[in-house]
Amino acid sequence: MGYAQLVIGPAGSGKSTYCSSLYQHCETVGRSINIVNLDPAAENFNYPVAMDIRELISLDDVMEELGLGPNGGLIYCMEHLEENLDDWLTEELDNYLDDDYLVFDCPGQIELFSHVPVLKNFVEHLRRKNFSVCAVYLLDSQFITDVTKFISGCMASLSPMVQLELPHVNILSKMDLVTSKRDIENYLNPEPQTLLAELNQRMAPQFGKLNKTLIKLLKRYSMVSFIPLDLQKERSIQYVLSQIDCRIQYGEDADVKGNCKYPRSCRLSSIVLSSMFHGKVMLEINYIKMYLLLQPLALMAVSMC
């Protein structure tokens, strides 16, 4: 079995920096990983590129030949990748052994992991190739400065969680740039009623029912939580990596790692999260998807504050 991280998140959230730091950390501790560039617009890398989508298609070529803009061109590139999963990607994956560890550095266009099926089909192809995959969603910690932005971040994170149907780790990136870490810590494990009270204070009264619905969604499913990541601290990188390893059952034949906070639950997480999308629990997922339709309203409400 192979192992893979799918690194996603908004543009500027630190995905490539995360991949670079992860590579350097693994190199220091004598662990082998392979970084894959899935961004057809990328130009410079601070890590060795094991696979590069630009060998298949590049954004510059698409914009020049088809006259598309950056966003339309990027969607075209990723759809072209989807059409070549059985050819180009399969040929590239055949170069790796069963126990190799791949980290896919994805583009930051939010449509790709919220509702466009490209990455979902990409993940399904990896699974058919016997890869255990974990989605790693990065959110800029400097974005989480008040309750309205925190709720928006949670909803933005919940979309790919439901869309991709993968074991999922949410990371607050750029913690080394945060001046007041205590403000961020208040949102790592917040009390729902406290969030609701703060949300009602920040927003107009007519949004009261919407606020209550959003908090109820997060409370009922307890699916969204964040791990802070400070790239200046090796132990922070190691902790994040250990949590991801547990979710994809990396090294399952070895002893359980001592820094894994919830070893048993992590090792079973991929099975649990996979089964969530079958049987009776599918009703609850449909319930989540129904409430995700409220996300544009929530973002609009935040912008009006």
Side-chain angles (χ1 to χ4, degrees):
M1 174 180 287
Y3 305 92
Q5 295 184 29
L6 192 70
V7 183
I8 59 177
S13 59
K15 297 183 294 297
S16 294
T17 304
Y18 163 80
C19 292
S20 175
S21 298
L22 185 64
Y23 179 84
Q24 293 174 12
H25 170 79
C26 290
E27 190 175 45
T28 300
V29 299
R31 176 171 166 178
S32 175
I33 66 170
N34 303 280
I35 311 295
V36 180
N37 173 46
L38 281 188
D39 188 353
E43 296 180 353
N44 301 312
F45 303 96
N46 292 323
Y47 52 78
V49 180
M51 294 166 49
D52 193 345
I53 189 178
R54 296 177 304 168
E55 297 176 357
L56 174 68
I57 190 170
S58 71
L59 180 60
D60 288 341
D61 292 342
V62 169
M63 293 174 61
E64 180 179 351
E65 295 178 13
L66 301 181
L68 297 175
N71 291 332
L74 184 57
I75 293 293
Y76 181 91
C77 290
M78 299 307 291
E79 289 178 343
H80 185 71
L81 170 64
E82 183 180 12
E83 294 171 357
N84 288 271
L85 293 177
D86 293 327
D87 299 321
W88 179 80
L89 184 61
T90 296
E91 182 179 343
E92 292 291 333
L93 292 176
D94 287 343
N95 295 324
Y96 297 92
L97 302 175
D98 289 341
D99 59 348
D100 278 338
Y101 198 113
L102 304 181
V103 179
F104 293 91
D105 187 1
C106 298
Q109 194 168 10
I110 195 169
E111 292 91 341
L112 295 174
F113 45 83
S114 62
H115 59 276
V116 174
V118 172
L119 285 184
K120 179 177 175 61
N121 294 333
F122 178 84
V123 166
E124 291 176 351
H125 184 81
L126 290 179
R127 284 174 163 172
R128 288 195 295 270
K129 293 299 180 181
N130 201 29
F131 275 84
S132 179
V133 188
C134 178
V136 180
Y137 183 92
L138 270 70
L139 184 67
D140 191 338
S141 58
Q142 298 179 89
F143 179 81
I144 308 295
T145 56
D146 59 55
V147 65
T148 54
K149 293 181 178 180
F150 173 76
I151 296 299
S152 296
C154 288
M155 299 303 292
S157 171
L158 190 55
S159 291
M161 289 177 71
V162 174
Q163 171 76 6
L164 297 177
E165 304 178 5
L166 284 175
H168 201 98
V169 173
N170 295 309
I171 295 175
L172 282 182
S173 62
K174 305 183 182 180
M175 284 296 293
D176 51 306
L177 302 179
V178 175
T179 55
S180 179
K181 290 184 172 55
R182 178 168 296 183
D183 294 339
I184 300 296
E185 291 173 355
N186 292 334
Y187 292 108
L188 295 180
N189 293 290
E191 288 293 333
Q193 292 304 315
T194 302
L195 288 178
L196 180 59
E198 293 182 10
L199 205 55
N200 288 334
Q201 289 178 358
R202 292 293 304 274
M203 300 178 66
Q206 60 263 36
F207 296 111
K209 290 185 178 179
L210 175 62
N211 296 341
K212 186 175 181 180
T213 300
L214 293 174
I215 298 301
K216 181 180 178 181
L217 171 63
L218 297 178
K219 177 182 178 181
R220 177 173 180 177
Y221 294 98
S222 299
M223 293 178 70
V224 180
S225 60
F226 294 93
I227 300 175
L229 174 61
D230 186 342
L231 294 179
Q232 301 298 319
K233 300 178 179 178
E234 287 293 320
R235 66 177 181 275
S236 180
I237 301 175
Q238 177 59 40
Y239 179 77
V240 168
L241 181 58
S242 70
Q243 298 305 305
I244 297 170
D245 287 347
C246 285
R247 283 160 174 79
I248 59 177
Q249 304 176 51
Y250 176 76
E252 64 178 353
D253 295 331
D255 293 335
V256 175
K257 301 175 180 61
N259 55 0
C260 181
K261 190 175 181 181
Y262 304 107
R264 184 173 182 273
S265 60
C266 287
R267 288 167 63 85
L268 295 175
S269 63
S270 61
I271 300 174
V272 173
L273 288 175
S274 176
S275 65
M276 285 179 62
F277 296 89
H278 298 85
K280 294 182 179 179
V281 184
M282 188 64 189
L283 296 174
E284 295 193 348
I285 296 302
N286 287 333
Y287 183 75
I288 291 179
K289 290 183 176 180
M290 178 182 69
Y291 277 116
L292 284 177
L293 295 176
L294 295 172
Q295 182 179 354
L297 295 177
L299 296 175
M300 180 181 67
V302 169
S303 66
M304 294 176 62
C305 295

